[in-house]
Amino acid sequence: MLDSVRVRLTLWHTAVLAFVLVALSLITYFIFWRSTVQRTDTNLAELSEAFLTTLHAEVKDQSGPDALKLAAQVAITEHRFRDHVFAIFDAAGKMVISSQDVPPMTSAVDSAPSGLLLSHSFQRFLDASSHSDRLFGEVKEHKYGYRGFARHFSSEGKAYNLVILQSLHPQEEMLEGVTSTFAWVIPIAILLASVGGYFLARKSLAPVVAMSSQAGRIGAANLHERLVVQNERDELGLLARSFNSLLDRLGESFERQRRFMADASHELRTPVAILRGEAEVALSQQARPVEEYRESLSVLHKEAQRLTHIVEDLFTLTRADAGQYPLQPSDFYLDELIVECVHSARTLALAKKTSLAFDDAAEAPIHADESLLRRMVLNLLDNAIKYTPEGGRVTVQCRCERGEYALSITDTGTGIPAELRPRIFERFFRADKARSRSESDGGGAGLGLAISRWIAQAHQGRLELTRSDSTGSTFTAYLPANSGRTEFPS
Ligand code: ADP
């Protein structure tokens, strides 16, 4: 049950509310009680003042040993109100007179219990008051509470202690009423709040539940479906939009993968069909001249080579996509690598009567994966020769500019149509499919530039088509000159 966010939210909400309500009632109770006590203390102090004024005035009119007692009787009669008890003690702690000894004027006046002045609580207060001039304190008799005030005074040269008690019964009754109201209001408030909280949590989380069941229904087959965004601006709307944009990205990558698979199988089907057809033709006749067999075998070999090439390229791209192509960097000279590649491509260039030249560059030390860079340069050279008509010219240059090597390969081909330029680095893209595939060397599958661009990027560089028009094209690979060690001995 606690696994449900709804229940947890409700419990938290209820617990916090219960805490706040209980704390609030305790604070209210405390403040109310304190102000009652303060008001009573002020009242007692004023009353004692008035009482003593009367007492002193009356003592002057009296004579004899009971002068104080008689004067006190007058003062008590004058100042006695309901719920007040007066008592005067001499220096030895012996009671001289108390209001309970003086008969009240009306029957309703004195409601204090008769044993109040004999109670333990009162005695304790009296003992404590003997040590200080003025003292406020609590006196309890049965269930009644009294606020007591004791002050010392002297009359006719003798010391006395005046004690006035004021009943707190009305205030206690009122507080009891408030407490019992709290006792049923708080549980009801908590119950209502928890029920309301539960429904609120359920209502707030309903879109999440709906979203999760919608999301649960989305799979590879209906990846185009999206979550319904009810309010774009709230947190749930944000969550739904994030989820939808994740689905967008997933959908795109799914589509890319699907296209990749479709293109790959399409590309593999052609050489496989040629292999099968050629083999069937060769086997269809009992005996054929040796030349014909050789011719068939040569076609089979060429197609097998093309197939191998495509499969290798596909494998490279798949590993690159998965981030599983480990670079094996080493220190070498880029200019030397270019010389080697130009040398390798010379045969191809000769076959097309194309001149191939490398404008000698300064030493170009680099820390990179040599075999990958070789593959990139050969791809670019291969393309340049392949897409340049007979008698053309291919030039290779390598310059060091602003901390990076700019390796450019320029040809005098017919160029790439402007509308196709943004797409030439896509996988399986061929500007002129018929021509590409019918090339005598087995043609390309449209993966060469995609792999070359990945190689440049894997070295924190980039590959760009820097120029292409009717007079030819230039591809430039920019590679950081400081990728790894800067200098190494030649
Ligand atoms: P392919 O295996 O077909 O050569 P690439 O990925 O190497 O595949 O190149 C993609 C396409 O870009 C080619 O089919 C071709 O149309 C175009 N292309 C590449 N290099 C050149 C170039 N130097 N001149 C003209 N077109 C080019």
Side-chain angles (χ1 to χ4, degrees):
M1 193 171 92
L2 285 180
D3 288 342
S4 153
V5 176
R6 248 175 320 191
V7 174
R8 280 211 304 272
L9 267 181
T10 309
L11 286 180
W12 269 107
H13 166 249
T14 309
V16 171
L17 187 78
F19 176 77
V20 169
L21 285 179
V22 170
L24 213 66
S25 21
L26 288 178
I27 291 169
T28 311
Y29 188 96
F30 174 74
I31 291 175
F32 186 81
W33 182 247
R34 215 180 54 169
S35 80
T36 300
V37 167
Q38 274 171 354
R39 238 179 307 122
T40 310
D41 288 355
T42 315
N43 187 30
L44 284 172
E46 283 170 7
L47 190 59
S48 74
E49 208 61 53
F51 182 89
L52 287 180
T53 310
T54 310
L55 183 82
H56 290 312
E58 286 298 325
V59 163
K60 286 187 192 126
D61 295 343
Q62 306 291 340
S63 57
D66 286 341
L68 183 91
K69 201 170 169 178
L70 293 170
Q73 273 181 3
V74 177
I76 287 170
T77 314
E78 195 171 312
H79 294 286
R80 173 154 64 182
F81 301 107
R82 189 181 160 81
D83 293 338
H84 278 114
V85 175
F86 295 82
I88 296 175
F89 297 85
D90 63 16
K94 195 165 159 292
M95 188 157 69
V96 178
I97 187 169
S98 89
S99 57
Q100 292 187 325
D101 303 334
V102 180
M105 302 282 270
T106 63
S107 58
V109 170
D110 201 350
S111 62
S114 53
L116 176 64
L117 299 181
L118 300 172
S119 68
H120 288 303
S121 172
F122 181 76
Q123 283 310 315
R124 266 201 306 279
F125 174 67
L126 195 62
D127 290 346
S129 73
S130 63
H131 304 300
S132 64
D133 237 16
R134 288 163 162 258
L135 180 75
F136 289 100
E138 303 280 334
V139 175
K140 206 125 181 97
E141 169 63 2
H142 297 305
K143 59 187 178 104
Y144 299 112
Y146 287 82
R147 186 73 182 160
F149 177 55
R151 66 180 283 186
H152 294 183
F153 71 96
S154 60
S155 177
E156 314 265 273
K158 286 187 189 161
Y160 295 96
N161 187 8
L162 167 67
V163 179
I164 309 176
L165 298 175
Q166 182 176 334
S167 167
L168 295 175
H169 190 52
Q171 290 88 338
E172 280 172 348
E173 265 182 352
M174 202 172 112
L175 274 177
E176 251 171 50
V178 172
T179 312
S180 60
T181 309
F182 278 153
W184 63 266
V185 165
I186 290 178
I188 290 181
I190 290 173
L191 189 75
L192 286 179
S194 60
V195 173
Y198 180 77
F199 282 107
L200 207 70
R202 213 168 92 144
K203 196 167 159 35
S204 321
L205 291 172
V208 178
V209 178
M211 265 158 60
S212 81
S213 77
Q214 276 178 44
R217 283 196 299 272
I218 297 177
N222 58 346
L223 207 55
H224 57 277
E225 283 188 22
R226 294 290 175 266
L227 298 186
V228 181
V229 183
Q230 280 171 352
N231 182 353
E232 293 236 338
R233 288 182 301 271
D234 69 8
E235 290 82 350
L236 294 176
L238 203 70
L239 177 69
R241 274 192 300 154
S242 309
F243 192 81
N244 283 345
S245 74
L246 172 74
L247 285 178
D248 286 344
R249 289 197 300 277
L250 264 181
E252 276 168 27
S253 120
F254 229 75
E255 180 53 28
R256 253 202 318 271
Q257 289 292 332
R258 199 196 53 75
R259 228 180 316 129
F260 185 69
M261 293 293 286
D263 289 344
S265 39
H266 180 78
E267 288 302 324
L268 292 174
R269 225 175 28 211
T270 314
V272 169
I274 297 175
L275 280 176
R276 214 184 52 210
E278 197 61 39
E280 278 169 7
V281 169
L283 291 172
S284 62
Q285 291 165 16
Q286 283 294 327
R288 293 173 71 191
V290 175
E291 287 72 42
E292 279 186 27
Y293 280 123
R294 287 189 70 83
E295 209 173 297
S296 288
L297 279 174
S298 141
V299 171
L300 290 177
H301 181 240
K302 223 179 282 171
E303 282 309 313
Q305 255 184 337
R306 184 170 137 74
L307 202 57
T308 313
H309 196 67
I310 295 175
V311 170
E312 268 170 12
D313 281 356
L314 284 175
F315 190 52
T316 305
L317 281 174
T318 325
R319 284 173 75 197
D321 281 350
Q324 284 171 355
Y325 200 107
L327 296 194
Q328 287 167 345
S330 61
D331 292 329
F332 62 95
Y333 288 93
L334 185 60
D335 51 307
E336 284 177 8
L337 176 92
I338 298 169
V339 171
E340 282 166 28
C341 293
V342 168
H343 194 77
S344 308
R346 197 150 277 160
T347 333
L348 198 62
L350 270 176
K352 288 228 27 205
K353 298 189 182 66
T354 302
S355 78
L356 178 57
F358 174 37
D359 291 355
D360 248 350
E363 278 188 347
I366 193 167
H367 184 72
D369 187 316
E370 192 172 356
S371 75
L372 281 183
L373 285 196
R374 185 187 305 277
R375 194 161 167 188
M376 180 184 80
V377 178
L378 282 176
N379 267 348
L380 294 174
L381 281 175
D382 187 57
N383 277 352
I385 298 167
K386 207 158 60 178
Y387 299 112
T388 299
E390 280 195 7
R393 188 159 34 88
V394 173
T395 329
V396 186
Q397 276 186 327
C398 181
R399 300 176 308 277
C400 187
E401 295 170 347
R402 292 184 293 273
E404 61 183 7
Y405 294 121
L407 191 171
S408 41
I409 293 170
T410 306
D411 61 54
T412 54
T414 49
I416 301 161
E419 68 279 10
L420 301 181
R421 282 176 213 157
R423 299 194 55 201
I424 52 166
F425 292 100
E426 285 177 19
R427 294 167 186 193
F428 298 107
F429 180 78
R430 287 185 304 246
D432 181 353
K433 298 198 180 195
R435 190 171 59 137
S436 235
R437 195 172 287 154
S438 66
E439 286 296 326
S440 54
D441 63 347
L447 293 173
L449 283 181
I451 291 178
S452 301
R453 173 166 269 192
W454 167 74
I455 293 173
Q457 285 168 349
H459 286 87
Q460 277 75 51
R462 61 198 189 282
L463 174 63
E464 289 171 6
L465 171 65
T466 36
R467 180 190 70 96
S468 190
D469 53 34
S470 56
T471 61
S473 314
T474 303
F475 282 89
T476 309
Y478 298 93
L479 298 167
N482 299 333
S483 54
R485 274 160 261 179
T486 43
E487 284 296 319
F488 51 90
S490 51

